[in-house]
Amino acid sequence: MNITNVKVTEVGPRDGFQSEKTILKTEDKISIINDLIVAGFPRIEVSSFVSPKAIPQLADAEMILSGVNRSSTTTLAALVPNARGALRAVEANLDEIVVFLSASESHNKKNVNRSVNESLVGFGEIADIAGKNNIPVQGDIATAFGCPFEGNISTKSLADISKEYKSMGFKGVTLGDTTGMATPPVVADAIKAIRDKVPDLGITLHFHNTRGVGLANVMSGLYQGITDYESCFGGMGGCPFAPNATGNICSEDLIYLLHEMGIETGIDLDKLISIAQKVEGLVGHKLPGQVMRAGHRLLSYSMDDVPTAIGA
Ligand code: COA
Ligand code: ZN
């Protein structure tokens, strides 16, 4: 496979917190983001500059940006749906704008109340604002590996949208598996179609573990040479405007896998486990992450800690 380094984006403060019924306190979010920066994440999605009516959980995006300890080694990114969001992002001194649409018309309508074409036209306005302010733009495609309303997504549409992104000067495309419909061969086909049409556009993969094959999909991406992934602490996450949207692939589980494969991420796994445990305390319910509970594989226990099976 020959991959020695992978860039992992933590999307918890955006994808994770948007999916929680409880709205976390701004100061707690800031503290978590500061911890993520110290843990070594090169990129964090910190919030969304969307309508607070759509996602009230992220209504404090400006306060988050002004409250966190900026670091030259961590890019702070956020979702932006329209020109209004782009102006808010500029004002908040955001490092990177992430625009998003869904490959399927029906999910795009649910999520941003417009057609895919209307989204693309709107991205032109966002790109202008970003360009004038020297802010790079990343383009997400949600429901890239399947839509809960429309089923399979054609790889041609992924390639066509990616080409539009490239022509608008975006730095790369992120393929989002909104409701966990990706499987390893579906991932490989999507990557191939985009590379064939837009060979020089970077691809990032964003999986949800809805059907338990999230890390298998990462393996598929790695075998295709993809070195950019997105994940969420504790395996939280999900889009409120898609049925059965469950958590992202879990950051600790992903980092554990990558490190065990000899792939560097620059992220301190112990610090990340502590962050996931802290978030679990803040949201007040069990998170699906596994490494945050089991720890490293060579963690050793005292034999006195477990009973001995004697007799029946
Ligand atoms: N920031 C803050 N407020 C915004 C906004 C933005 N970027 N864009 C729109 N609004 C406000 C408008 O001012 C308006 O408020 P009002 O009712 O008080 O006048 C309201 O939101 C609706 O605006 P409108 O332009 O008519 O948009 P819409 O109702 O068609 O909704 C979106 C479109 C894109 C703004 C909305 O669907 C949205 O924010 N979606 C985000 C979904 C999301 O983040 N999903 C999770 C990620 S996968
Ligand atoms: Zn997601």
Side-chain angles (χ1 to χ4, degrees):
M1 168 180 311
N2 250 348
I3 289 180
T4 53
N5 285 79
V6 153
K7 182 174 172 187
V8 177
T9 294
E10 172 59 59
V11 296
R14 195 277 299 173
D15 212 333
F17 294 160
Q18 81 179 10
S19 70
E20 275 300 307
K21 283 203 179 64
T22 322
I23 301 187
L24 268 69
K25 287 192 199 132
T26 303
E27 68 206 59
D28 288 335
K29 295 179 183 176
I30 290 173
S31 155
I32 294 292
I33 294 167
N34 285 340
D35 290 349
L36 291 166
I37 293 170
V38 171
F41 278 96
R43 184 170 177 267
I44 304 171
E45 261 186 21
V46 290
S47 191
S48 293
F49 290 94
V50 296
S51 167
K53 288 183 181 157
I55 311 273
Q57 293 92 332
L58 304 182
D60 54 359
E62 279 85 355
M63 285 190 281
I64 299 285
L65 264 305
S66 64
V68 296
N69 301 328
R70 298 289 184 105
S71 154
S72 59
T73 51
T74 305
T75 298
L76 303 185
L79 297 198
V80 165
N82 51 19
R84 163 117 185 252
L87 293 171
R88 288 178 59 200
V90 169
E91 197 59 33
N93 199 18
L94 184 71
D95 296 332
E96 187 183 299
I97 284 177
V98 180
V99 296
F100 59 108
L101 54 68
S102 301
S104 87
E105 291 289 347
S106 26
H107 185 258
N108 206 55
K109 185 79 188 159
K110 279 270 172 226
N111 204 31
V112 288
N113 193 27
R114 64 197 63 168
S115 70
V116 171
N117 209 43
E118 285 166 342
S119 279
L120 285 169
V121 171
F123 291 175
E125 283 179 65
I126 297 175
D128 278 351
I129 295 168
K132 284 188 188 118
N133 292 280
N134 291 319
I135 303 180
V137 180
Q138 175 78 7
D140 282 11
I141 307 179
T143 66
F145 304 104
C147 166
F149 311 114
E150 295 183 16
N152 281 330
I153 293 297
S154 81
T155 56
K156 181 182 180 310
S157 70
L158 300 179
D160 289 347
I161 295 167
S162 301
K163 182 136 201 200
E164 292 283 333
Y165 283 179
K166 176 75 191 169
S167 69
M168 284 189 269
F170 295 178
K171 59 191 277 277
V173 60
T174 302
L175 302 179
D177 188 21
T178 313
T179 58
M181 291 171 72
T183 62
V186 173
V187 172
D189 287 349
I191 293 167
K192 182 174 184 315
I194 293 172
R195 280 192 177 146
D196 284 352
K197 188 146 190 165
V198 206
D200 47 355
L201 188 68
I203 300 174
T204 298
L205 297 175
H206 172 116
F207 296 121
H208 283 254
N209 198 32
T210 315
R211 292 174 174 81
V213 294
L215 291 184
N217 291 331
V218 170
M219 291 301 298
S220 179
L222 290 170
Y223 279 117
Q224 305 301 317
I226 302 291
T227 54
D228 289 77
Y229 295 88
E230 298 188 345
S231 58
C232 180
F233 40 59
M236 293 170 78
C239 175
F241 308 105
N244 296 326
T246 59
N248 291 73
I249 54 168
C250 170
S251 301
E252 311 83 75
D253 299 2
L254 172 64
I255 303 296
Y256 171 74
L257 171 69
L258 294 170
H259 290 183
E260 286 295 318
M261 291 171 67
I263 297 173
E264 307 258 340
T265 63
I267 294 158
D268 183 322
L269 180 59
D270 289 324
K271 286 201 171 83
L272 178 55
I273 289 173
S274 304
I275 294 169
Q277 290 165 345
K278 186 165 153 186
V279 172
E280 190 170 61
L282 288 172
V283 298
H285 60 83
K286 194 174 168 196
L287 299 180
Q290 292 180 287
V291 171
M292 66 183 280
R293 248 164 275 289
H296 298 271
R297 56 189 272 274
L298 293 180
L299 206 67
S300 87
Y301 297 86
S302 156
M303 285 187 68
D304 297 336
D305 288 347
V306 284
T308 304
I310 300 172

